[in-house]
Amino acid sequence: MTLTTVTLPGGTAAVVHTLGVAWTGAITRGPSLRDDLIKDVLHDVYVEGMRMGCDALRRARTAAADITVEDMPHDMIYAQMQVLCTNPECRTLAEHGEQVGEPFLDAPAARAWALTQPAPANDTKESS
Ligand SMILES: [Zn+2]
Protein backbone atom coordinates (compact mmCIF):
# COMPACT_ATOMS: atom_id res chain seq x y z
CA MET A 1 0.00 0.00 0.00
CA THR A 2 1.40 3.35 -1.04
CA LEU A 3 -0.04 6.70 0.01
CA THR A 4 0.30 9.75 -2.22
CA THR A 5 -0.79 13.22 -1.17
CA VAL A 6 -2.92 15.13 -3.64
CA THR A 7 -4.76 18.45 -3.53
CA LEU A 8 -8.13 18.27 -5.23
CA PRO A 9 -9.75 21.15 -7.11
CA GLY A 10 -11.26 23.33 -4.40
CA GLY A 11 -8.28 22.78 -2.14
CA THR A 12 -9.32 19.53 -0.45
CA ALA A 13 -6.32 17.72 0.98
CA ALA A 14 -6.64 14.10 -0.08
CA VAL A 15 -4.68 10.90 -0.41
CA VAL A 16 -4.47 8.27 -3.12
CA HIS A 17 -4.09 4.78 -1.70
CA THR A 18 -2.38 2.56 -4.26
CA LEU A 19 -2.40 -1.17 -3.71
CA GLY A 20 -0.61 -3.44 -6.15
CA VAL A 21 -0.41 -7.21 -6.06
CA ALA A 22 1.68 -9.31 -8.45
CA TRP A 23 1.31 -13.06 -8.83
CA THR A 24 3.24 -15.57 -10.84
CA GLY A 25 1.76 -18.60 -12.54
CA ALA A 26 -0.50 -16.80 -14.98
CA ILE A 27 -0.07 -19.55 -17.59
CA THR A 28 -0.28 -22.62 -15.39
CA ARG A 29 -3.18 -21.42 -13.27
CA GLY A 30 -5.39 -20.45 -16.18
CA PRO A 31 -8.22 -17.96 -16.47
CA SER A 32 -9.45 -18.26 -12.88
CA LEU A 33 -6.24 -16.57 -11.76
CA ARG A 34 -7.54 -13.14 -12.73
CA ASP A 35 -10.67 -13.52 -10.59
CA ASP A 36 -8.67 -14.91 -7.69
CA LEU A 37 -6.21 -12.04 -7.91
CA ILE A 38 -9.01 -9.46 -7.92
CA LYS A 39 -10.54 -11.12 -4.85
CA ASP A 40 -7.17 -10.99 -3.15
CA VAL A 41 -6.76 -7.27 -3.88
CA LEU A 42 -10.25 -6.50 -2.55
CA HIS A 43 -9.49 -8.50 0.58
CA ASP A 44 -6.19 -6.66 1.12
CA VAL A 45 -7.90 -3.30 0.62
CA TYR A 46 -10.49 -4.17 3.22
CA VAL A 47 -7.91 -5.43 5.73
CA GLU A 48 -5.83 -2.28 5.28
CA GLY A 49 -8.97 -0.18 5.69
CA MET A 50 -9.70 -1.84 9.02
CA ARG A 51 -6.09 -1.49 10.15
CA MET A 52 -5.82 2.17 9.20
CA GLY A 53 -9.36 3.14 10.16
CA CYS A 54 -9.98 4.29 6.60
CA ASP A 55 -13.60 4.25 5.42
CA ALA A 56 -12.71 4.90 1.80
CA LEU A 57 -10.71 1.67 1.73
CA ARG A 58 -13.37 -0.30 3.54
CA ARG A 59 -15.98 0.88 1.07
CA ALA A 60 -13.72 -0.06 -1.83
CA ARG A 61 -13.88 -3.75 -1.05
CA THR A 62 -16.80 -4.18 -3.45
CA ALA A 63 -15.27 -2.08 -6.23
CA ALA A 64 -13.83 -4.86 -8.39
CA ALA A 65 -14.43 -2.71 -11.46
CA ASP A 66 -11.84 -0.22 -10.22
CA ILE A 67 -9.03 -2.76 -10.37
CA THR A 68 -6.77 -2.80 -13.38
CA VAL A 69 -5.16 -6.12 -14.26
CA GLU A 70 -2.11 -6.34 -16.49
CA ASP A 71 -0.23 -9.27 -17.90
CA MET A 72 3.47 -8.93 -17.23
CA PRO A 73 6.55 -10.66 -18.58
CA HIS A 74 7.81 -13.88 -16.97
CA ASP A 75 4.41 -15.44 -16.37
CA MET A 76 3.36 -12.64 -14.02
CA ILE A 77 0.07 -10.91 -13.60
CA TYR A 78 -0.30 -7.61 -11.79
CA ALA A 79 -3.41 -6.02 -10.31
CA GLN A 80 -3.60 -2.47 -9.04
CA MET A 81 -6.28 -0.55 -7.25
CA GLN A 82 -6.37 3.14 -6.42
CA VAL A 83 -8.69 4.64 -3.83
CA LEU A 84 -9.19 8.34 -3.25
CA CYS A 85 -9.54 9.28 0.39
CA THR A 86 -9.93 12.43 2.48
CA ASN A 87 -9.36 10.86 5.90
CA PRO A 88 -7.14 13.29 7.88
CA GLU A 89 -5.26 10.39 9.47
CA CYS A 90 -4.39 8.93 6.09
CA ARG A 91 -3.27 12.38 4.97
CA THR A 92 -0.95 12.70 7.96
CA LEU A 93 0.52 9.27 7.26
CA ALA A 94 0.99 10.12 3.59
CA GLU A 95 2.75 13.40 4.36
CA HIS A 96 5.04 11.65 6.81
CA GLY A 97 5.79 8.89 4.30
CA GLU A 98 6.67 11.41 1.59
CA GLN A 99 9.09 13.15 3.93
CA VAL A 100 10.96 10.13 5.21
CA GLY A 101 10.23 7.28 2.81
CA GLU A 102 11.40 6.20 -0.60
CA PRO A 103 10.01 8.32 -3.42
CA PHE A 104 7.04 6.65 -5.12
CA LEU A 105 7.74 6.60 -8.85
CA ASP A 106 4.07 6.45 -9.76
CA ALA A 107 3.10 9.44 -7.62
CA PRO A 108 2.54 11.74 -10.63
CA ALA A 109 0.29 9.12 -12.20
CA ALA A 110 -1.60 8.66 -8.93
CA ARG A 111 -2.15 12.43 -8.66
CA ALA A 112 -3.30 12.65 -12.28
CA TRP A 113 -5.72 9.79 -11.65
CA ALA A 114 -7.10 11.51 -8.53
CA LEU A 115 -8.01 14.61 -10.53
CA THR A 116 -10.18 12.51 -12.85
CA GLN A 117 -12.23 11.13 -9.96
CA PRO A 118 -15.47 12.52 -8.58
CA ALA A 119 -14.90 14.22 -5.21
CA PRO A 120 -15.03 11.62 -2.46
CA ALA A 121 -17.83 11.67 0.08
CA ASN A 122 -16.55 13.57 3.05
CA ASP A 123 -18.37 11.69 5.76
CA THR A 124 -16.44 9.49 8.13
CA LYS A 125 -19.49 7.59 9.33
CA GLU A 126 -19.89 3.89 8.80
CA SER A 127 -21.83 3.07 5.67
CA SER A 128 -23.95 0.18 6.79
ZN1 LIG B 1 -7.53 6.48 3.61
Side-chain angles (χ1 to χ4, degrees):
M1 173 79 61
T2 307
L3 288 80
T4 307
T5 58
V6 61
T7 304
L8 300 176
T12 305
V15 171
V16 180
H17 292 275
T18 304
L19 182 82
V21 178
W23 279 3
T24 55
I27 296 165
T28 46
R29 293 185 57 175
S32 73
L33 181 82
R34 223 163 239 269
D35 292 342
D36 291 346
L37 180 56
I38 287 171
K39 275 186 210 147
D40 196 59
V41 171
L42 292 175
H43 177 76
D44 282 2
V45 159
Y46 181 69
V47 169
E48 282 291 311
M50 294 299 283
R51 195 176 64 79
M52 298 176 70
C54 175
D55 288 324
L57 285 178
R58 280 185 286 196
R59 280 196 295 265
R61 71 175 156 161
T62 55
D66 290 349
I67 299 177
T68 56
V69 181
E70 270 180 79
D71 293 310
M72 308 284 280
H74 310 297
D75 196 22
M76 297 261 292
I77 186 169
Y78 177 75
Q80 181 174 284
M81 184 173 209
Q82 289 174 309
V83 178
L84 188 60
C85 162
T86 54
N87 184 340
E89 287 172 31
C90 293
R91 175 72 186 198
T92 302
L93 269 178
E95 286 172 0
H96 180 71
E98 286 177 359
Q99 280 163 17
V100 303
E102 297 277 312
F104 178 44
L105 295 179
D106 283 339
R111 291 194 177 103
W113 171 85
L115 298 179
T116 67
Q117 299 302 301
N122 211 7
D123 68 313
T124 52
K125 294 186 197 109
E126 278 295 310
S127 52
S128 53

